[in-house]
Amino acid sequence: DKAKKTWYSYRKIYFYDTKLSLEQKDKCVEAFAGGYTHGNRFLKDTVLKNVLHVDFTSFYPSQLRTKKFPIGKPKELPSRWFKVNDLLDRCNDNDEIAVVDVLIADAELRNPDHPMPYLASAKVKALDETRVIKDNGRIVKLEGLVKYTCTNKDLEIIKKQYKCKIKITAGIIFTSFPTNTNRGGDSILSPMCASLTR
């Protein structure tokens, strides 16, 4: 009987009380879909031998147990946090995760020799007469304006890799974390951000 009550309590807290609206779910799918799976653009069409490969998929259960990750109903992002640096500071200081719609204008890689640019051409929506220069599916330079849905961690990487103008137009923010995680751990998205900005 106690196990049954615990199960129902768990389901209520983690499934029913935290249910996203359809619009919020769609925004999260858009931000998290895909992945950083492209290879080095300078080695495309090249056969490499003796390549080491690490599959991080098997880390998934341990990461959910030891890292902080957002749960709960997100809140609409107040317009006072629409400045990119203010949002990044807030999220980093409070271990929060934001999912935002942004406009990116006139982007160019800070390092033109970067082997794996971050912005995927398939995930941006070009507005007006935008000219996108891509290599191996990744944006090297764009002239004009694109719409992009991403997380605050994505914004950190974009700011480090590209010279561009970024404007936040809307967003949601997750501020709750499960109590059973190691609160001393990094956010579940931190390793991704660190590895892509080296």
Side-chain angles (χ1 to χ4, degrees):
D1 191 43
K2 184 178 177 185
K4 194 174 186 179
K5 282 183 182 176
T6 302
W7 172 246
Y8 284 117
S9 173
Y10 174 85
R11 285 176 58 101
K12 181 177 180 338
I13 293 168
Y14 289 103
F15 292 106
Y16 301 119
D17 293 349
T18 61
K19 192 166 145 183
L20 302 177
S21 70
L22 184 58
E23 183 179 307
Q24 291 168 337
K25 182 206 70 98
D26 288 345
K27 190 179 289 292
C28 288
V29 167
E30 198 173 339
F32 289 104
Y36 193 63
T37 57
H38 283 68
N40 184 319
R41 66 189 174 119
F42 300 121
L43 298 176
K44 66 184 177 194
D45 300 323
T46 304
V47 176
L48 302 173
K49 296 180 181 181
N50 300 321
V51 175
L52 294 176
H53 169 76
V54 178
D55 180 4
F56 288 103
T57 304
S58 56
F59 285 147
Y60 187 71
S62 66
Q63 295 299 298
L64 289 178
R65 180 70 183 135
T66 61
K67 303 289 187 192
K68 292 181 280 189
F69 59 94
I71 63 164
K73 272 203 169 311
K75 300 173 186 166
E76 291 301 313
L77 193 66
S79 59
R80 68 180 179 275
W81 296 342
F82 276 20
K83 291 185 179 161
V84 174
N85 289 336
D86 292 347
L87 177 68
L88 295 179
D89 289 344
R90 179 184 169 80
C91 288
N92 287 333
D93 291 347
N94 298 301
D95 293 322
E96 296 170 337
I97 301 290
V99 177
V100 292
D101 293 325
V102 296
L103 296 174
I104 301 173
D106 305 322
E108 185 173 359
L109 281 174
R110 292 181 187 277
N111 174 4
D113 295 324
H114 196 294
M116 294 175 64
Y118 191 72
L119 282 172
S121 58
K123 286 193 72 169
V124 301
K125 294 177 185 84
L127 305 174
D128 299 325
E129 295 182 20
T130 300
R131 184 171 160 250
V132 177
I133 300 170
K134 57 189 175 183
D135 189 351
N136 200 28
R138 295 294 170 158
I139 295 175
V140 176
K141 181 178 182 178
L142 70 86
E143 297 168 353
L145 196 62
V146 295
K147 181 183 178 290
Y148 185 60
T149 300
C150 61
T151 69
N152 53 295
K153 293 298 182 181
D154 294 317
L155 282 179
E156 281 182 36
I157 296 165
I158 293 165
K159 278 189 62 181
K160 288 178 182 173
Q161 277 197 10
Y162 294 87
K163 291 181 275 186
C164 60
K165 298 174 195 138
I166 303 173
K167 179 181 179 185
I168 298 171
T169 58
I172 54 177
I173 190 160
F174 292 87
T175 58
S176 301
F177 291 86
T179 55
N180 65 340
T181 57
N182 171 7
R183 293 294 294 162
D186 292 332
S187 162
I188 200 162
L189 298 179
S190 293
M192 176 190 75
C193 187
S195 67
L196 297 175
T197 55
R198 289 185 191 133

